[in-house]
Amino acid sequence: DNSSAMAPLASSLNVPQVTKAVEALLKHHAKTHGSSQKGKAQLLESDDPITVVFAMKTIPDTKGRTKPFMIKLKTPLYDSESTEVCLIVKDPQREYKDKVAEKGIKCVTKVVGVSKLKTKFKQYEAKRQLCASYDLFLADDRVIPVLPHLIGKVFFERKKLPLPVDLTRENWAGSIARVLRSTPFYLSEGGCSAL
């Protein structure tokens, strides 16, 4: 539960004002995108991303936090049936691969250990191919701090940073399902953060 960690930041939030702003943005979006689309069959669905920028009065103390806050969504971005997930784990990789198969977690199609990430995916081209091969990357939350150096800039450019999963608990399927139903919020060390 990340709400307690964010409580000091959210204490002065004007909820009615935020609600009013969101309703105005949705109305504007419906007006600009809905009127031109009426009566026309679309070949492709439009999935316009919506970004919310948070401006802080004071710069928050992140205490070097590299893990994102996971915000549960009403409508998930990822479907557990069709999403191909790569799970990055501690060594030994085989142990985690066997547990994923034993627990019947079907959305995890590849398990990669940190040592394999260091050796097999050392070159830029190999990192680029790995990044393009999967819809989503998850990582054992114990290895998240070492990943930025190992995965390289291609993951940052494509916004496919591995999301943390707690693999110390027994219910791995539940932990993975929670991440699939959430979106990450990275609290920056500056005056603005985007979601």
Side-chain angles (χ1 to χ4, degrees):
D1 181 38
N2 294 328
S3 59
S4 61
M6 294 294 285
L9 298 174
S11 61
S12 62
L13 184 67
N14 185 341
V15 176
Q17 185 65 33
V18 171
T19 304
K20 191 175 173 182
V22 169
E23 287 171 353
L25 285 171
L26 291 173
K27 185 177 177 182
H28 172 73
H29 179 75
K31 189 162 83 173
T32 58
H33 290 80
S35 61
S36 64
Q37 309 297 334
K38 286 182 182 172
K40 293 182 181 178
Q42 294 296 310
L43 178 62
L44 299 173
E45 289 183 27
S46 174
D47 288 334
D48 295 332
I50 297 174
T51 302
V52 180
V53 177
F54 297 93
M56 314 291 182
K57 284 185 178 180
T58 59
I59 295 176
D61 182 15
T62 61
K63 296 179 177 68
R65 180 184 175 97
T66 57
K67 296 179 191 175
F69 293 97
M70 298 305 291
I71 299 173
K72 186 177 177 184
L73 299 174
K74 188 175 181 180
T75 306
L77 295 174
Y78 301 103
D79 178 27
S80 61
E81 300 296 320
S82 61
T83 303
E84 288 193 21
V85 177
C86 178
L87 180 63
I88 301 170
V89 295
K90 288 175 35 171
D91 295 316
Q93 170 188 326
R94 172 55 58 191
E95 178 183 317
Y96 290 94
K97 197 175 207 174
D98 292 343
K99 277 191 176 181
V100 165
E102 174 188 313
K103 293 176 184 289
I105 303 170
K106 297 196 181 352
C107 64
V108 176
T109 53
K110 176 112 174 137
V111 178
V112 178
V114 172
S115 63
K116 192 172 188 178
L117 202 59
K118 286 179 184 176
T119 56
K120 189 174 179 186
F121 299 101
K122 190 172 185 173
Q123 299 297 319
Y124 175 79
E125 184 60 28
K127 290 176 185 178
R128 192 184 66 73
Q129 286 177 349
L130 177 66
C131 185
S133 299
Y134 299 95
D135 301 321
L136 181 66
F137 289 86
L138 303 179
D140 185 342
D141 60 0
R142 296 170 289 183
V143 300
I144 288 284
V146 300
L147 287 182
H149 173 70
L150 296 176
I151 60 177
K153 71 178 184 177
V154 70
F155 281 81
F156 287 90
E157 288 170 350
R158 295 194 181 162
K159 299 191 185 317
K160 282 193 170 183
L161 294 175
L163 301 176
V165 176
D166 186 4
L167 299 181
T168 58
R169 298 183 180 171
E170 278 301 309
N171 188 9
W172 287 16
S175 294
I176 290 171
R178 268 191 300 282
V179 171
L180 291 176
R181 291 189 312 261
S182 303
T183 189
F185 174 63
Y186 293 93
L187 185 63
S188 72
E189 292 182 351
C192 291
S193 294
L195 173 65

